[in-house]
């Protein structure tokens, strides 16, 4: 569950007391891990997998009540920020109002030695703030169109304030979670956006032409989710250039992630073994080609900065023997997803009887339907196969979900992750993301009242019984 899905009164979940309540809920259920989505600033479609910087922190997640308590926003300003609906993120309103409010808070905060020390220790986040202030100076156009290279001072102050405050608030949340026995797993998108501080500041690290335009872009070939494949459009890394400086950019990135989290999921891990390169002028991902990635050389570089932190390899999609070998050689646990298990035969690695202790199992990820939506939309033959596999023989299959969840709990998977919608047994109307669909994603939120309907004792007993938590 991403922080944005938390309940609260200000258009999106935040790093306030609601996050502490959520951690209390997890501890009471016997869970030991909370997995979130990337914290970076999301794109214009609200996706956190494409951002202006891999080192950014999303200002919309800042807790406003804490700012009001600190005298940085007024009670009237806080009232004006109250949401219209508690059930979904109000992205349009946030894009129009939130940074204006945070700018007022930044003016009242001013500067501090602690803020300056934060940016001395986080150079890439400082560069992100400068990048956003330069965008403001250039009418928020892409960096390829800039003519002004003096940052807007007000914007620079605001961005520096938001990054520092986010870090402080999150540090408090993480410390509380760890005290309560909860580890937090973050998420690292493998690629960055072309219009980003990452590419602007480090063009030699990417596959760009003499005019600094991408020659090839990222994506994945046609698959279960999308018959045309997914054309992500991100610029591709110049792995040869990165190797020459010891993968310093990647090491700095992972060091930042390990400062924020107790573990990290590396999205699209297979791109480290081989990456899918699509001509930059193509309109779909059909004509891409696989090219060799950095492999174990990068893995060793990441391990050198992450130490004993849990690193999860998202090894889903078009997986080859070479990718399987890289996952094994890395020592990172791979991912298994129940909903993929019934696309093949009994040898599918995504079926629970094939899970080993070195994997992380999911009923579904943020890209899947909810468990209820999945079972509801199956054809009758596959639905019966799923229920029979999970030992559920009754005809009223809409009561089968405990049997499915218990099958996952009883598996040999070393770690089990459940989307919050599957704790609540909610349908496809609460699905978080549909890959390849540009609108209607990322907005799901739950309420405090909804969370009260979860049978905590049941999950507490299952976690005890199966040695989880």
């Amino acid at each position: 569950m991403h922080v944005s899905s938390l309940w609260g009164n200000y258009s999106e979940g935040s790093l306030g007391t609601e996050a502490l309540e959520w951690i209390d809920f997890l501890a009471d259920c016997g869970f030991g891990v909370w997995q979130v989505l990337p914290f970076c600033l999301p794109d214009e479609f609200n996706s956190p997998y494409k951002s202006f910087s891999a080192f950014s922190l999303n200002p919309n997640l800042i807790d406003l009540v804490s700012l009001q308590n600190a005298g940085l926003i007024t009670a009237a300003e806080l009232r004006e920020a109250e949401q219209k609906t508690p059930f979904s993120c109000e992205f349009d309103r946030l894009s129009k109002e939130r940074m204006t409010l945070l700018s007022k808070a930044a003016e009242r905060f001013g500067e501090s030695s602690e803020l300056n020390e934060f940016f001395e220790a986080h150079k890439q986040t400082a560069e992100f703030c400068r990048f956003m202030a330069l965008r403001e100076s250039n009418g928020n156009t892409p960096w390829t169109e800039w003519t002004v290279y003096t940052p807007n001072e007000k914007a620079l102050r605001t961005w520096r304030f938001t990054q520092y405050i986010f870090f402080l608030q999150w540090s408090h949340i993480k410390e509380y979670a760890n005290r309560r026995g909860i580890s937090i797993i973050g998420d690292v998108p493998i690629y960055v956006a072309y219009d980003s501080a990452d590419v602007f500041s480090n063009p030699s690290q990417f596959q760009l032409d003499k005019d600094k335009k991408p020659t090839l872009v990222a994506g994945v070939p046609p698959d279960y989710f999308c018959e045309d494949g997914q054309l992500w459009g991100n610029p591709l890394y110049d792995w040869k250039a990165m190797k020459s400086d010891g993968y310093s950019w990647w090491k700095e990135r992972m060091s930042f992630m390990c400062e924020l989290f107790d573990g990290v999921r590396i999205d699209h891990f297979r791109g480290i073994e081989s990456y899918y390169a699509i001509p930059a002028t193509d309109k779909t991902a059909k004509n891409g080609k696989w090219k060799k990635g950095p492999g174990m050389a990068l893995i060793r570089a990441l391990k050198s900065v992450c130490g004993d932190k849990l690193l999860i390899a998202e090894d889903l999609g078009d997986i080859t023997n070479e990718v399987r070998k890289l996952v094994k050689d890395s020592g990172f646990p791979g991912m298994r997803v129940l909903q993929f298990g019934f696309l093949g035969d009994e040898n599918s690695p995504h079926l629970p009887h094939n899970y080993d202790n070195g994997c992380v199992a999911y009923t579904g990820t943020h890209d899947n339907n909810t468990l209820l939506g999945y079972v509801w939309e199956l054809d009758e033959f596959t639905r019966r196969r799923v229920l029979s596999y999970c030992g559920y023989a009754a005809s009223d299959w809409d009561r089968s979900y405990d049997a499915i969840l218990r099958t996952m709990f009883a598996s040999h998977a070393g770690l089990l992750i459940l989307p919050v919608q599957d704790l609540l047994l909610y349908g496809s109307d609460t699905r978080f993301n549909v890959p390849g669909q540009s609108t209607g994603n990322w907005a799901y939120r739950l309420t405090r009242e909804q969370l009260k309907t979860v049978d905590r004792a049941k999950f507490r007993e299952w976690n005890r019984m199966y040695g989880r938590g």
Side-chain angles (χ1 to χ4, degrees):
M1 187 200 71
H2 196 35
V3 173
S4 62
S5 293
L6 282 166
W7 57 96
N9 298 321
Y10 303 101
S11 298
E12 186 168 8
S14 75
L15 306 175
T17 56
E18 295 84 6
L20 303 180
E21 292 174 26
W22 166 251
I23 290 165
D24 289 340
F25 164 82
L26 293 177
D28 194 30
C29 289
F31 292 119
V33 167
W34 172 18
Q35 183 173 341
V36 298
L37 268 62
F39 276 1
C40 53
L41 186 71
D43 69 4
E44 68 272 26
F45 301 111
N46 307 305
S47 170
Y49 289 91
K50 191 175 181 181
S51 178
F52 284 126
S53 173
F55 298 84
S56 62
L57 300 167
N58 184 0
N60 289 341
L61 301 180
I62 290 173
D63 177 45
L64 298 183
V65 174
S66 296
L67 298 186
Q68 198 266 327
N69 290 340
L72 297 175
I73 62 176
T74 68
E77 288 166 344
L78 187 64
R79 284 195 300 272
E80 290 173 4
E82 290 180 357
Q83 64 203 19
K84 306 299 181 184
T85 175
F87 300 112
S88 62
C89 297
E90 298 176 331
F91 290 131
D92 288 344
R93 184 179 179 198
L94 286 166
S95 67
K96 295 173 183 175
E97 300 177 9
R98 186 54 54 89
M99 286 303 290
T100 299
L101 178 57
L102 293 174
S103 182
K104 293 178 181 178
E107 290 179 11
R108 293 161 186 158
F109 181 82
E111 290 288 322
S112 73
S113 58
E114 291 83 2
L115 181 146
N116 291 325
E117 288 169 4
F118 170 78
F119 286 107
E120 281 296 317
H122 299 86
K123 300 288 190 183
Q124 293 284 359
T125 306
E127 184 60 27
F128 158 70
C129 296
R130 179 175 175 273
F131 176 85
M132 296 304 289
L134 284 170
R135 284 190 103 254
E136 184 73 21
S137 295
N138 287 275
N140 290 310
T141 56
W143 64 262
T144 52
E145 301 173 13
W146 290 355
T147 58
V148 179
Y149 290 93
T150 302
N152 180 289
E153 287 299 324
K154 182 177 181 181
L156 182 60
R157 181 172 60 249
T158 300
W159 282 107
R160 284 169 60 86
F161 168 78
T162 63
Q163 302 304 286
Y164 173 64
I165 292 298
F166 185 112
F167 189 83
L168 288 185
Q169 291 188 356
W170 175 248
S171 296
H172 173 62
I173 297 298
K174 182 178 179 298
E175 180 184 358
Y176 183 79
N178 292 165
R179 285 205 313 268
R180 296 235 55 193
I182 306 296
S183 297
I184 303 178
I185 296 174
D187 199 322
V188 172
I190 189 169
Y191 294 122
V192 300
Y194 178 50
D195 185 20
S196 68
D198 308 303
V199 179
F200 173 71
S201 301
N202 308 280
S204 65
Q205 304 269 348
F206 298 87
Q207 296 187 39
L208 309 178
D209 63 20
K210 61 182 177 59
D211 297 318
K212 297 184 179 179
K213 294 181 179 179
T215 53
L216 297 166
V217 295
V220 290
D223 61 9
Y224 170 76
F225 285 122
C226 186
E227 64 181 13
D228 286 335
Q230 297 178 44
L231 179 60
W232 298 338
N234 309 74
L236 293 168
Y237 300 112
D238 185 333
W239 289 117
K240 183 177 180 181
M242 288 191 155
K243 182 179 181 180
S244 68
D245 71 358
Y247 303 101
S248 61
W249 183 89
W250 265 99
K251 287 164 75 172
E252 194 169 357
R253 183 184 193 188
M254 291 301 291
S255 179
F256 183 53
M257 292 298 103
C258 288
E259 190 176 3
L260 293 171
F261 306 111
D262 300 298
V264 178
R265 186 192 83 128
I266 303 175
D267 185 55
H268 195 60
F269 183 85
R270 70 103 58 244
I272 296 175
E273 191 283 320
S274 293
Y275 59 94
Y276 196 63
I278 305 162
T281 56
D282 279 16
K283 302 300 182 184
T284 75
K286 286 185 175 181
N287 298 321
K289 297 184 183 301
W290 290 104
K291 295 178 176 287
K292 276 296 178 184
M296 279 302 297
L298 178 63
I299 300 300
R300 286 190 288 269
L302 302 186
K303 285 184 172 182
S304 72
V305 297
C306 293
D308 60 357
K309 295 271 188 176
L310 174 66
L311 300 181
I312 299 172
E314 189 270 282
D315 55 346
L316 306 176
D318 183 13
I319 301 303
T320 64
N321 287 334
E322 290 81 5
V323 177
R324 295 186 187 96
K325 183 178 186 303
L326 182 63
V327 174
K328 182 178 179 181
D329 291 347
S330 72
F332 301 163
M335 289 176 56
R336 302 294 180 264
V337 180
L338 177 70
Q339 292 187 29
F340 296 155
F342 298 92
L343 298 174
D345 60 20
E346 66 278 4
N347 296 314
S348 169
H350 295 286
L351 285 174
H353 71 270
N354 290 321
Y355 297 167
D356 60 49
N357 194 247
C359 78
V360 182
Y362 298 74
T363 49
T365 74
H366 63 275
D367 284 335
N368 290 102
N369 204 342
T370 67
L371 179 61
L372 173 58
Y374 165 73
V375 174
W376 183 273
E377 295 174 15
L378 286 173
D379 62 86
E380 182 58 34
F381 174 81
T382 307
R383 183 187 299 124
R384 180 45 52 192
R385 183 184 170 204
V386 171
L387 301 186
S388 177
Y389 181 92
C390 296
Y392 188 83
S395 59
D396 54 342
W397 55 266
D398 59 328
R399 299 178 181 271
S400 65
Y401 304 106
D402 270 9
I404 299 174
L405 291 176
R406 194 160 183 164
T407 298
M408 296 293 285
F409 272 82
S411 76
H412 285 286
L415 182 61
L416 171 63
I417 304 287
L418 304 175
V420 67
Q421 295 96 318
D422 292 356
L423 294 185
L424 293 161
L425 293 182
Y426 282 177
S428 57
D429 58 325
T430 64
R431 182 171 179 169
F432 205 54
N433 180 52
V434 179
Q437 178 179 298
S438 62
T439 60
N441 293 322
W442 316 110
Y444 168 72
R445 294 178 72 193
L446 68 156
T447 67
R448 181 183 284 109
E449 291 69 28
Q450 289 169 345
L451 199 66
K452 289 178 180 178
T453 67
V454 174
D455 185 348
R456 301 186 187 197
K458 175 181 71 178
F459 288 108
R460 190 162 56 242
E461 175 62 12
W462 286 358
N463 277 313
R464 183 202 62 77
M465 183 181 299
Y466 298 111
R468 300 196 178 276

